[in-house]
């Protein structure tokens, strides 16, 4: 490296110092080594990162790809007798065949059809804030959609023990509507007992970080990813302006951070195009997973 | 723990990925885009193992080096946590986890396990909201909360509260964006035991609608039953402007978070009065020194009074105020 001009610009400084761990010291006409006998050597890439340099990641550098390590863990746990293939298969089977977003949509469709049911879910008595858990458990048991084996007899299922249901629309009759959006800002807490496995986006840092400051922006982002003719069969030719209009009517947006073991489920606003003549089955088909989290406007 | 998982309000991550991931259809798959035999099975592994102590499992992710955390996928974070907790619980040895077995690679590196363990060691003597520092054997205690007791809530819906300020190596679900902020109690979640403790088909659980999970700030330490504090929980409503300032957040927005009773105190300048389970008067305040007076004329600091302060019964009647 040639001796740099002391009057070099900051850009030049950065360019030179990036070429060697001792670049900055060379520019200052000194060396970083302070102990007699030390030979100044550039730090290895990784330690330079520790000093605030390039963000080197040692996950991929020193370990095998995740999938192979997960398989190694699985084999270890089989060998230790902690799990059997049947146990892990049972979990996959439960979320494949028993609990999918269809389960939650069945509850919401019933709430759309029966305002008294919706009111019971959203207005629990003060002494029983999680009454929705009991009501939904009994509703799904009556329809033979869940069994006591999967619920321990008391909850709806895993991540369905302490459920609160919040409703989009007017907070009171005639009032301007509110909208609810659910997030787990730390990780991925989710009403799994009713919606199944979280979508990938729900677990993303992008969603977790932004939901608590820009929820309308998130709803717009989800809307932009949908085809413009999404609701054309219902006489709404252009979906994105329809979402803008929905957002403009809101008096408030409420973000629910799932930071305890309580879980939140959103009853989306029943759209004007859904008439009373619709069956619960038709409504269930319409209600999307994302609308029950609050990111999708129906 | 303080670390890169607390990215609340960061807007620099760009677009949300995978928004078009299809929904799982009944009978079709565990989740489209997940492979059942590894992502599906691994979901089962971390979900089932984590139920032993959810807060400890969450802490396991946070203990990663910030640089590695930031570069790790969701499943990678869980793998780290599972490995750490298997090691600590004796479910697997260091060799099992860090050495290749036959044709299978090492699951995790020794250095990151050692690092996580040393951080946990450093957290053992930490103070925790509502409990202060632990004793010499790292046990926490409080005059208000006893392990195995289901305490009566001391706050009510509509009360104005401030979230306490804390900074911790341990796990907490009082995230930085809420600390020191003022909100309103939206709902009280009373706590009650799940009965019976050992349910069976013949002896099923009676659902009471009450919350039943322990206080994460202590529970994460995995210290056992005599350190399981089941404490009332509250849904607290914050105005987004009180969290983010006037312009950063969208307008007309509220954030609801669940906070445990020891994480709440009175807003600056006010004293909250309540009765504990034994009927004793409890005073709480967020800032200032407690003063008392027999006659509203002569005021003196109450020596050593810390919030929450239990007024001893049998005292002559008097008055309290705060010196801010």
């Amino acid at each position: 490296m040639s001796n740099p001009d002391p009057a070099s610009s900051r850009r030049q400084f950065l360019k030179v110092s990036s070429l060697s761990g001792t670049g900055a010291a060379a520019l200052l006409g000194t060396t970083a080594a302070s102990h007699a006998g030390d030979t100044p050597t550039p730090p290895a890439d990784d330690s330079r990162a520790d000093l605030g340099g390039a963000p080197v990641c040692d996950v991929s550098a020193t370990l095998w790809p995740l999938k192979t390590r997960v398989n190694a863990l699985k084999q270890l746990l089989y060998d230790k007798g902690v799990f059997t293939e049947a146990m892990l298969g049972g979990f996959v089977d439960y979320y494949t065949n028993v609990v999918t977003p269809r389960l939650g949509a069945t509850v919401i469709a019933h709430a759309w059809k029966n305002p008294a049911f919706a009111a019971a879910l959203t207005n629990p008595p003060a002494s029983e804030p999680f009454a929705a858990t009991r009501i939904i458990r009994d509703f799904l048991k009556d329809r033979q959609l869940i069994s006591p084996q999967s619920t321990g007899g008391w909850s709806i299922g895993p991540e369905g023990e302490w459920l609160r249901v919040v409703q989009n629309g007017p907070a009171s009759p005639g009032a301007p509507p509110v909208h609810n959006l659910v997030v787990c800002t730390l990780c991925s807490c989710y009403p799994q007992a009713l919606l199944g496995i979280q979508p990938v986006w729900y677990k993303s840092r992008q969603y977790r970080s932004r939901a608590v400051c820009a929820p309308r922006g998130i709803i717009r982002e989800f809307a932009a990813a949908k085809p413009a003719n999404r609701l054309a069969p219902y006489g709404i030719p252009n979906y994105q302006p329809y979402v803008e209009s929905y957002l403009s009517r809101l008096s408030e947006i409420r973000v629910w951070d799932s930071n305890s073991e309580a879980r939140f489920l959103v009853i989306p606003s029943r759209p004007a195009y859904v008439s009373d003549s619709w069956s619960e089955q038709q409504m269930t088909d319409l209600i999307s997973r994302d609308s029950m989290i609050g990111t999708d406007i129906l | 723990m303080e670390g890169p998982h607390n990215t609340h309000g960061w807007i620099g991550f760009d677009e949300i990925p995978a928004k078009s991931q299809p929904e799982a259809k009944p009978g079709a798959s565990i989740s489209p885009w997940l492979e059942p035999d590894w992502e599906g099975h691994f979901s089962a592994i971390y979900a089932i193992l984590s139920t032993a102590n959810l807060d400890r499992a969450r802490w396991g992710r946070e203990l990663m080096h910030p640089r590695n955390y930031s570069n790790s996928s969701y499943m990678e974070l869980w793998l780290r946590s599972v490995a750490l907790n298997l090691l600590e619980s004796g479910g697997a040895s260091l060799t099992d986890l860090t050495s290749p077995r036959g044709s299978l690679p090492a699951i995790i590196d020794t250095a990151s396990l050692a690092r996580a363990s040393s951080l946990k060691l450093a957290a053992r003597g930490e103070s925790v909201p509502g409990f202060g520092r632990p004793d010499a054997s790292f046990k926490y205690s409080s005059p208000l909360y006893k392990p195995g007791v289901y305490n009566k809530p001391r706050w009510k819906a509509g009360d104005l509260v401030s979230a306490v300020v804390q900074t911790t190596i341990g796990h907490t679900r009082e995230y930085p964006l809420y600390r020191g902020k003022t909100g309103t109690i939206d709902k009280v979640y009373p706590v009650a035991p799940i009965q019976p403790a050992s349910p069976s088909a013949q002896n099923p659980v009676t659902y009471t609608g009450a919350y039943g999970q322990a206080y994460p700030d202590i529970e994460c330490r995995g210290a056992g039953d005599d350190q399981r504090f089941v404490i009332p929980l509250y849904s607290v409503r914050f105005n987004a402007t009180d969290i983010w300032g006037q312009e950063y957040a969208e307008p007309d927005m509220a954030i609801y978070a669940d906070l445990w009773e020891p994480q709440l105190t009175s807003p600056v300048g006010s004293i909250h009065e309540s009765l504990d389970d034994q009927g004793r008067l409890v005073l709480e305040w967020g800032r200032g020194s407690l003063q008392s007076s027999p006659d509203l004329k002569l005021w003196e600091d109450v020596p050593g009074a810390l919030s929450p302060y239990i007024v001893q019964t049998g005292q002559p009647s008097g008055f309290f105020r705060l010196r801010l």
Side-chain angles (χ1 to χ4, degrees), chain B residues 197-280:
Chain B
S198 304
S200 66
Q202 292 75 34
N203 196 16
V205 169
T206 308
Y207 185 66
T208 61
Y211 195 77
Q213 295 294 95
Y215 180 41
D217 299 38
I218 292 180
E219 181 70 3
C220 68
R221 295 157 203 267
D225 285 351
D226 70 342
Q227 290 283 286
R228 287 201 89 240
F229 295 92
V230 185
I231 292 171
L233 180 65
Y234 300 88
S235 173
V236 181
R237 177 192 157 102
F238 296 93
N239 290 328
T241 47
D242 288 337
I243 300 272
W244 303 117
Q246 288 300 314
E247 288 176 18
Y248 190 82
E250 289 176 2
D252 302 321
M253 177 185 163
I255 304 170
Y256 290 75
D258 295 340
L259 295 173
W260 278 262
E261 200 166 86
Q263 295 167 342
L264 301 177
T265 189
S266 287
V268 171
S270 66
I271 301 178
H272 177 256
E273 301 165 26
S274 60
L275 298 178
D276 74 357
D277 286 2
Q278 299 167 41
R280 298 176 298 183

Side-chain angles (χ1 to χ4, degrees), chain A residues 24-224:
Chain A
L27 277 172
L28 296 168
T30 180
T31 68
S34 56
H35 303 293
D38 276 358
T39 308
T41 53
D45 271 359
D46 198 49
S47 63
R48 192 169 62 196
D50 276 337
L51 297 170
V56 175
C57 170
D58 66 17
V59 174
S60 54
T62 61
L63 294 168
W64 284 54
L66 179 61
K67 180 177 175 176
T68 58
R69 286 183 289 126
V70 164
N71 285 328
L73 174 74
K74 195 163 89 172
Q75 192 58 51
L76 175 69
L77 294 171
Y78 287 166
D79 294 347
K80 296 260 177 201
V82 178
F83 288 109
T84 62
E85 189 141 19
M87 289 166 74
L88 301 185
F91 179 94
V92 171
D93 178 68
Y94 176 66
Y95 288 109
T96 302
N97 295 308
V98 179
V99 184
T100 67
R102 184 87 188 169
L103 204 59
T106 305
V107 175
I108 303 300
H110 192 67
W112 274 3
K113 273 278 202 192
N114 302 279
F117 180 73
L121 295 181
T122 54
N123 298 305
S127 59
E128 197 191 357
F130 304 108
T133 308
R134 178 176 49 74
I135 296 165
I136 292 174
R137 175 199 66 187
D138 293 346
F139 167 76
L140 294 173
K141 267 208 290 209
D142 287 348
R143 297 207 170 188
Q144 298 185 321
L145 292 169
I146 56 170
S147 68
Q149 285 78 17
S150 62
T151 64
W154 68 287
S155 77
I156 304 167
E159 291 205 68
E161 291 91 355
W162 295 286
L163 191 72
R164 280 186 69 185
V165 178
V166 290
Q167 188 164 20
N168 292 344
S172 57
V178 300
H179 183 88
N180 296 279
L181 184 109
V182 180
V183 62
C184 174
T185 60
L186 182 74
C187 172
S188 57
C189 295
Y190 188 72
Q192 221 167 41
L194 290 167
L195 301 184
I197 299 293
Q198 300 88 331
V200 168
W201 62 259
Y202 188 81
K203 304 184 277 195
S204 72
R205 306 189 92 196
Q206 289 89 336
Y207 181 69
R208 297 199 280 111
S209 306
R210 195 141 44 91
V212 282
C213 68
R216 290 176 184 84
I218 284 177
I219 291 168
R220 287 194 182 97
E221 194 183 315
F222 273 78

Side-chain angles (χ1 to χ4, degrees), chain A residues 237-258:
Chain A
N238 208 338
Y239 178 63
Q240 286 77 20
Y242 171 81
V243 172
E244 280 303 325
S245 163
Y246 175 93
L247 291 175
S248 71
R249 290 193 300 275
L250 296 179
S251 61
E252 183 173 275
I253 192 155
R254 296 173 181 168
V255 178
W256 298 85
D257 188 352
S258 313

